[in-house]
Amino acid sequence: MSQKPAKPQRLKARLPRGLADRPASELRATDAMLGKIRKVYELYGFEPVETPFIEYTEGLGKFLPDQDRPNEGVFSFQDDDEAWLSLRYDLTAPLARYVAENFEALAKPYRSYRLGWVFRNEKPGPGRFRQFMQFDADTVGSGSPAADAEICMMAADALEALGIPRGQYVIKVNNRKILDGVMEAIGLGGEENAGRRLTVLRAIDKADKFPWEEVTKLLGSGRLDESGDFTKGAGLAENEIAAIHAYLHASVQVDGALFLVRMASPQIDQSFSAIAAYREGIAEIQDMFGLIQAAGYGPDRIKADFSVVRGLEYYTGPVFEAELLFEVKDEKGNPVRFGSVGGGGRYDGLVGRFRPEPVPATGFSIGVSRLAAALKVLGRLDGLNAPGPVVVTVFDKDRLADYQSMVARLRAAGIAAEMYLGSAGLKAQMKYADRRKSPCVIIQGGDEKAAGKIQIKDLIEGAKADEAIVSHTERKEQRPAQIEVDESALVESVQAILARHFPAAG
RNA sequence: GCAGCUGUAGCUCAGUUGGUUAGAGCGUCGGAUUGUGGCUCCGAAGGUCGGUGGUUCAACCCCACUCAGCUGUACCA
C-alpha cells in the first residue's frame, strides 16, 4: 500500500466577495464604451478632471453622527496622525472638495467630467459590487434650470451613442422640492417627522418595483414579504395614502413649451399647491422641460416621473434617473431588468460645506459596470472578439534567432506578433495559438528552411474548412488553409490574410 | 441586519431507507499523430463530500452549532 503523501497546506486563491477581475475582452469592451461617452461629454464642452481614490472621511461627510467613527458603508482607515481616511464612495463628494479647494482658479460655471472606481462596503448582489466604475459629468456654479436640462439631454445622448435605441431607455426627472411639498401637505413636515418621512419616501421609491397594493402596505401598517420578513410601515392614515396615490398618478400634459402637472383630485391639487416648496418644485420642473422640449427632446427620451426618489441626503432640487426599459433573460431563463444605469441631480449644498458662499451644482453619474452588462445583452458591446497576435512557432529550438527575426519583421509592419516562448511541441503550439485567437501561425521546419520557404496556416479559415472534415488523417493530408510562400513574402502574405478577415482594420 | 434555500472534482450536477473503494458530463493534461489547433478514440490527474461537534457498530446522508453562497427584504450617503 502506497501511502498518499500529506498534502501541503496551500493558500487558497480567492477574491474577496463583491470584487471582480476583468479579463482582456472586458477591458477592451469597457474602453470602447468609455470612449463613446467621453466623446459626448466633450461635445457638450465638459473637460476632464481626476481626483484620488482616498479622501478625508469628514470631507466625504461620512462620519456617523455622535460617534467618532466613519459610516460602516465606507472603507476607512486612520492616517498616522489618526485622521480618518476613506475610499471614495462616489465621485460627487470628491468633486465638491476639488472645486472648493480650487475655487479661485476655476472658470465658473465649472463644467467637468470624470471617470473612476468607487468603493462601497455593502452587501454585494447581482450587478452590485464593492468596487465599481462611475462616469460623471457635473456643472458647478450654475443654479439655472438650463444646467439641469442640459445634463439630462447629455445623458440621453450618451446612452444613444452607446447604441441603446431610443425608446429602450428613458431619463426620468423629478424634483426634491415637490416631494418635500407633498410630505408637508400630508403633515409630515418638520424635523420631528424626519423618520416617517424617510419611510414614506422609500415606499414611493418602490412604486415602480411593487404593485400599488404593496406600496400601500408600506405606507400603512407594514408589509410581509415572500420570505416571511416583515417591513414596518409608515403608519399613514387612509386619506394621506390617497394623497400619495394621487401624487404618483398625477397627469403631465406636454404641449410645446407648456408643461402642466395635475393631480388626480382637484382638492389634493389644491392642498399641495398651498405649499411653497411644492409650487417651487413644480416651477423648476416646468422650466426644465420648457428647455428640454425646445431642444427637441421628447418624453420618449426625457420624461417627468414623480416616483423618482434619490440621494435623500444631498439632492436639493431636480433629481434624474436613467432607466433601461428592455427586459432580458439570464442564463437560467429568468427575466432580468437592468433598471437604473445612472442617476443624478442638483446638490446645491455640497460645495457650500467648504465655502463661505453658496455654490449651486448639478450632475449625472453613469454606472459603467451595470451599463456594460446591459450592452453585452443588447449585443452592442464592442471589442469582445479582438484577434490575438500572429504566432511564430518554434520548430527547431536551436534556430530561435530565425523565428525571432520573423516576429521582428511582422512587428515592424505593425502586425501584432509573438514567438512561442513555451517548451511544448508543435501540436501544443498550435493549441496555444488557437486559444490566443491568433489569425494565423508561421511554421518553418528544416525542409522549409532548406528551400527558403515558410508555412502560413490561416487558423480562421482552417476552422471553417474543418467543418467538412471528419477524420484526423484527412485533415493531416489536406492541411486546410495552409500556404507555403517564400521567406521574403512573410509580411505581405500575413497582411493578405488579415485583410481578408478584418477588412476594416489596418 | 432579518428570513428562506443551497453547499459533493476547476465548472455543471448525480449519489438509494445511514452500509465496502463517492460517480457522470464538460474542462485540464498525456497518447493515438517524433512536423500542424478544431472531429474521433484511448488513458491520466484532480475530492479534508464547506467546517466543528454529536447520535450510531457504521454518517456525504440524521441532529446541533458555525462558515460561505444564492434569493427575497432592509440599508444604499
Side-chain angles (χ1 to χ4, degrees), chain A residues 127 131 200 233 316:
Chain A
Q131 173 186 325
V200 173
T316 54

Side-chain angles (χ1 to χ4, degrees), chain A residues 57-58 61-74 76 78 84 86:
Chain A
T57 307
E58 59 177 17
K62 290 330 292 178
F63 266 112
L64 288 171
D66 311 325
Q67 283 178 62
D68 217 8
R69 227 162 29 77
N71 185 312
E72 303 177 354
V74 293
S76 305
Q78 278 177 294
W84 279 100
S86 294

Side-chain angles (χ1 to χ4, degrees), chain A residues 109-127:
Chain A
Y110 175 59
R111 299 154 66 76
S112 78
Y113 68 85
R114 79 215 75 86
L115 148 77
W117 295 107
V118 301
F119 305 84
R120 294 188 186 185
N121 195 8
E122 293 168 357
K123 178 186 157 187

Side-chain angles (χ1 to χ4, degrees), chain A residues 39-176:
Chain A
K39 220 168 149 186
V40 172
Y41 287 0
E42 291 273 356
L43 187 66
Y44 272 75
F46 287 68
E47 66 174 38
V49 66
E50 184 179 289
T51 66
F53 286 16
I54 298 168
E55 296 275 348
Y56 281 116
T57 307
E58 59 177 17
L60 300 179
K62 290 330 292 178
F63 266 112
L64 288 171
D66 311 325
Q67 283 178 62
D68 217 8
R69 227 162 29 77
N71 185 312
E72 303 177 354
V74 293
F75 291 99
S76 305
F77 53 95
Q78 278 177 294
D79 212 347
D80 49 15
D81 63 357
E82 308 225 319
W84 279 100
L85 301 174
S86 294
L87 291 180
R88 61 188 181 190
Y89 60 85
D90 69 14
L91 297 177
T92 310
L95 175 76
R97 190 229 82 222
Y98 172 80
V99 173
E101 201 168 345
N102 299 279
F103 202 68
E104 279 72 22
L106 296 170
K108 286 170 289 292
Y110 175 59
R111 299 154 66 76
S112 78
Y113 68 85
R114 79 215 75 86
L115 148 77
W117 295 107
V118 301
F119 305 84
R120 294 188 186 185
N121 195 8
E122 293 168 357
K123 178 186 157 187
R128 296 183 59 158
F129 297 91
R130 294 202 292 175
Q131 173 186 325
F132 58 99
M133 195 177 270
Q134 292 191 330
F135 201 155
D136 286 25
D138 295 79
T139 300
V140 181
S142 167
S144 164
D148 298 305
E150 179 189 54
I151 292 278
C152 290
M153 295 187 278
M154 188 165 73
D157 284 6
L159 293 181
E160 288 189 20
L162 289 169
I164 299 170
R166 196 167 299 179
Q168 306 236 310
Y169 74 90
V170 70
I171 311 294
K172 302 190 295 190
V173 179
N174 196 9
N175 194 300
R176 274 305 307 279

